[in-house]
Amino acid sequence: MRWLHILAGLVGVLAIAVIGLVIFVATLDLNSYKAEIEAAVREATGRDLTIEGDLDLAWTPRPTLTTETVHFANASWGSRPDMATIGRLEVAVDVVPLLSGTLDVQRVALADVDLLLERDATGAANWQLGGDSSGGGAETVPLLRSVDLVDVMVRWKPSPDAETQTVRISRLTLEGEDGNTPLDVSLEADVNGDPIAFDGTLPALSEALRPGATLPVDVTGSVGGRDVALAANLHYAVAKDGALSSIEADRLSLTADGITVTGSASLALDGPRPKLVADLKSDTIALPEGGDGGGDGLEAPLPFDLLTLIDAQVKFSAAEISRNPLILSNLSTTATLTDGTLRLDPLDATVSDGAISAKLMVVASDTVPAQALKATWRGADFGKLAHTLHGSDTLDARGDAAVDLSASGTSIRDMIASLAGTAWITSRDGHIANEDWELIAEDLATNFLPFLEGAGRGTLKCAVGRWTLKRGVAETVVMMVDSDRVTVGGQGTIDLARETLDMRLMPNPKDASLVSLATPVMITGPIANPQIAPDPLAVAKGVGSVVGAAALAGPLALMLPFVSSGSTEPACAEAIAVAQGSKPMPSAGSAGSNEQENKPGGIKGLFDSLRKAVE
């Protein structure tokens, strides 16, 4: 029958075709196509691709192409010949979708990869490719189901002279049902030696390859041993040359060690340095307690060089930041980072009901990084602060404080040793528990305030202090505590670099009959464990009846411009003005009128008495 002959002929033709296909596949030498592949890549990118290993094709369980030792050339100005090297490459595809023009990539595996990303002195990036990449039609986005990266090194050099930053990927896997569904991600890596690990979901490849698309990211893991979680909707844009130009994140939520920051951010990549712009806020931040602050922590270099890698403008606010037991509330600041110079201006916050207003600048681009801080603290509740720090109700007083400091150096120790500028603190119209004064007197091993006996709580008219700092040493300009019964003056130095004190305190009773009970006190030695004792010079000269001659050049002399024995003149107003820098320090002979100076018991009279005691 004729149809049987036709059927037999078709079967014969099909058999011949299958046999021919099998023979073709069995004898196919993909290595003969290496030159064509390399030429096509060069035409598309302007760079050389070199495939050193053999191209092998396995047909089962699915067609899989493998090769080894692949080199992709760097830009002509690059710091090394290859932008990327691949130790092993494996690509598996599904054949059937190819019949409809769909590239369905079942698996891509890369191992032993070394990738260098760098910019030259003009800001040009080595990932900006030349060649003819115009395909003349719409790009075909492949379906990607699985990616497996093992032992991948990514090196980043933002400029020719910059230190190379490294990311080592031990293992990165991406798994998806198809190219249109989110990818499950698992990452184990380290950044400059700090381990990171993440698990979560990333957007589908079909969306990720479409500029402007909304790309949801949701991952959790750890960075440097600290728990981290990130959720955001990402968007990106590309430049005309196809290079990534910016990344934006909205509905951003970043949690690290229990601290959550929300807001939005963008990263521009089309300049000489990446530029970050962000608006972030947090409700509550509990900072971990640190160590003792000494030793290696003070000596270790701070990573100022990182400030030269990026530009930034970040607005940040936090309802509360705490580090047991201190609480800082209503923080608001704007940080700008340009050409290695960081500015926090303004920086506003509240501590112990006092308003802090500050400006901070760090110049990391200098050979030796420089720092500057200018801050005021107005209306602070010092009693509340004392209770917070020590659980003490000794003090009930409010006041102000300010610093205007500069420093330089790469470590905290260097910065402390170079501190220069001024610092002051003032308080007035408060109260202090007299029993605590007595405890202080006992700790001083001298009964230097016996005249406070019998009162439970004394009036603290004012407490003032002003210091000038040079090379890390704070020298007292004025230091005075004025109560209803006694005025205590102080002078000396605080060596912040060596952490030592050399101070002298002089109590001056308001009741002239009690002057003989007031003994100058020396405070010397380490700040953490100072030695406190009566002034031996004053004791040797017999302070029992007349204050020692050393007081002439000591704290009592500092108080003389403000107070006189038995005087009722307001000492605090002028002392506060001097401390706050609105008036110069008056000389001892300038206090009061000439008439007052010549009165017995006045300033001149007291100086005369002290001088006679010396003689």
Side-chain angles (χ1 to χ4, degrees):
M1 297 171 49
R2 183 174 180 79
W3 65 273
L4 289 176
H5 291 288
I6 295 174
L7 181 59
L10 291 174
V11 170
V13 171
L14 182 59
I16 293 172
V18 170
I19 293 171
L21 179 59
V22 170
I23 295 174
F24 172 77
V25 171
T27 59
L28 177 63
D29 182 11
L30 292 178
N31 292 300
S32 62
Y33 294 94
K34 275 186 182 182
E36 294 182 26
I37 296 172
E38 293 169 350
V41 170
R42 180 172 182 80
E43 182 179 358
T45 66
R47 306 272 185 89
D48 288 334
L49 176 73
T50 304
I51 304 173
E52 292 186 5
D54 291 336
L55 294 174
D56 297 322
L57 181 63
W59 289 92
T60 57
R62 62 178 62 89
T64 303
L65 176 68
T66 60
T67 190
E68 296 180 348
T69 317
V70 178
H71 301 264
F72 184 66
N74 201 359
S76 58
W77 48 262
S79 60
R80 72 180 193 189
D82 291 332
M83 175 181 173
T85 60
I86 302 172
R88 179 176 174 81
L89 169 65
E90 181 179 315
V91 180
V93 299
D94 194 348
V95 175
V96 175
L98 289 174
L99 300 177
S100 60
T102 299
L103 178 57
D104 189 345
V105 180
Q106 297 287 312
R107 181 172 183 267
V108 173
L110 300 174
D112 298 325
V113 178
D114 192 332
L115 173 64
L116 172 64
L117 303 175
E118 61 180 336
R119 291 183 182 273
D120 68 6
T122 67
N126 70 336
W127 60 85
Q128 294 172 332
L129 304 176
D132 181 11
S133 59
S134 59
E139 295 183 358
T140 300
V141 178
L143 300 178
L144 182 61
R145 301 178 186 271
S146 175
V147 175
D148 192 5
L149 305 183
V150 177
D151 294 333
V152 176
M153 171 70 80
V154 180
R155 309 174 194 270
W156 162 240
K157 287 190 66 175
S159 66
D161 298 329
E163 184 178 351
T164 301
Q165 311 295 315
T166 60
V167 177
R168 297 176 182 269
I169 301 175
S170 300
R171 188 70 179 255
L172 171 63
T173 60
L174 298 169
E175 299 284 348
E177 294 182 5
D178 57 52
N180 297 311
T181 58
L183 297 170
D184 294 328
V185 60
S186 179
L187 171 67
E188 295 179 10
D190 71 73
V191 178
N192 294 326
D194 293 325
I196 63 173
F198 282 108
D199 292 287
T201 58
L202 298 179
L205 181 64
S206 58
E207 290 296 295
L209 295 179
R210 186 164 61 89
T214 298
L215 309 175
V217 173
D218 190 354
V219 295
T220 60
S222 64
V223 175
R226 300 179 181 274
D227 293 337
V228 174
L230 172 66
N233 286 339
L234 302 182
H235 313 268
Y236 73 92
V238 296
K240 292 181 179 180
D241 60 1
L244 183 65
S245 61
S246 67
I247 302 173
E248 297 181 2
D250 56 35
R251 303 181 66 178
L252 172 65
S253 176
L254 175 63
T255 300
D257 272 357
I259 300 171
T260 299
V261 176
T262 61
S264 60
S266 65
L267 185 66
L269 301 171
D270 53 358
R273 287 178 301 277
K275 182 174 182 179
L276 173 68
V277 177
D279 190 347
L280 306 172
K281 65 179 181 178
S282 180
D283 292 329
T284 302
I285 298 177
L287 299 177
E289 295 187 36
D292 59 8
D296 296 340
L298 295 179
E299 305 290 347
L302 299 174
F304 288 110
D305 56 321
L306 296 181
L307 297 179
T308 64
L309 302 180
I310 190 171
D311 292 339
Q313 182 174 352
V314 178
K315 293 182 179 180
F316 179 73
S317 63
E320 180 179 291
I321 299 178
S322 63
R323 186 176 187 271
N324 189 37
L326 285 176
I327 297 177
L328 182 150
S329 57
N330 303 320
L331 171 71
S332 176
T333 188
T334 297
T336 59
L337 177 58
T338 306
D339 295 334
T341 297
L342 173 65
R343 289 182 174 86
L344 270 62
D345 184 10
L347 191 158
D348 299 317
T350 301
V351 176
S352 295
D353 298 337
I356 292 177
S357 180
K359 297 179 180 180
L360 172 68
M361 182 172 70
V362 178
V363 182
S365 56
D366 288 352
T367 303
V368 178
Q371 306 85 27
L373 172 64
K374 189 172 185 178
T376 59
W377 188 18
R378 303 287 186 184
D381 188 335
F382 295 140
K384 183 177 181 179
L385 180 64
H387 182 80
T388 298
L389 294 177
H390 307 296
S392 169
D393 294 321
T394 297
L395 190 63
D396 177 14
R398 287 181 175 271
D400 306 324
V403 295
D404 189 351
L405 302 172
S406 63
S408 61
T410 58
S411 69
I412 295 177
R413 180 77 71 188
D414 291 342
M415 288 185 280
I416 293 175
S418 65
L419 275 173
T422 59
W424 60 261
I425 184 170
T426 63
S427 177
R428 66 184 308 167
D429 301 330
H431 294 86
I432 188 166
N434 287 337
E435 61 269 22
D436 288 294
W437 281 100
E438 293 171 1
L439 288 174
I440 294 171
E442 291 177 6
D443 289 341
L444 297 180
T446 176
N447 195 22
F448 91 101
L449 291 176
F451 32 78
L452 293 180
E453 224 175 288
R457 196 168 182 83
T459 298
L460 182 65
K461 293 184 177 181
C462 67
V464 304
R466 182 180 180 88
W467 298 265
T468 59
L469 291 92
K470 187 176 182 180
R471 297 190 181 96
V473 178
E475 183 172 357
T476 304
V477 175
V478 58
M479 181 177 176
M480 187 180 81
V481 178
D482 189 26
S483 71
D484 52 350
R485 296 190 179 193
V486 63
T487 301
V488 179
Q491 77 165 24
T493 59
I494 306 171
D495 192 326
L496 299 174
R498 294 181 174 86
E499 301 181 15
T500 59
L501 293 166
D502 186 6
M503 299 292 297
R504 188 168 186 268
L505 303 181
M506 180 62 208
N508 184 40
K510 298 293 179 71
D511 186 342
S513 65
L514 296 174
V515 169
S516 62
L517 300 177
T519 303
V521 177
M522 303 298 295
I523 306 176
T524 59
I527 293 176
N529 186 27
Q531 300 297 313
I532 306 174
D535 184 349
L537 179 59
V539 173
K541 289 185 177 294
V543 182
S545 58
V546 179
V547 176
L552 277 173
L556 184 55
L558 290 175
M559 290 188 291
L560 290 177
F562 309 123
V563 299
S564 61
S565 180
S567 173
T568 59
E569 294 297 321
C572 287
E574 190 168 7
I576 288 175
V578 171
Q580 294 182 351
S582 59
K583 291 185 64 175
M585 180 71 178
S587 63
S590 67
S593 65
N594 291 334
E595 180 182 358
Q596 172 66 23
E597 291 176 0
N598 293 322
K599 287 182 179 179
I603 292 176
K604 186 176 184 300
L606 183 55
F607 267 117
D608 289 341
S609 298
L610 291 170
R611 190 173 294 109
K612 289 177 182 178
V614 174
E615 294 171 353

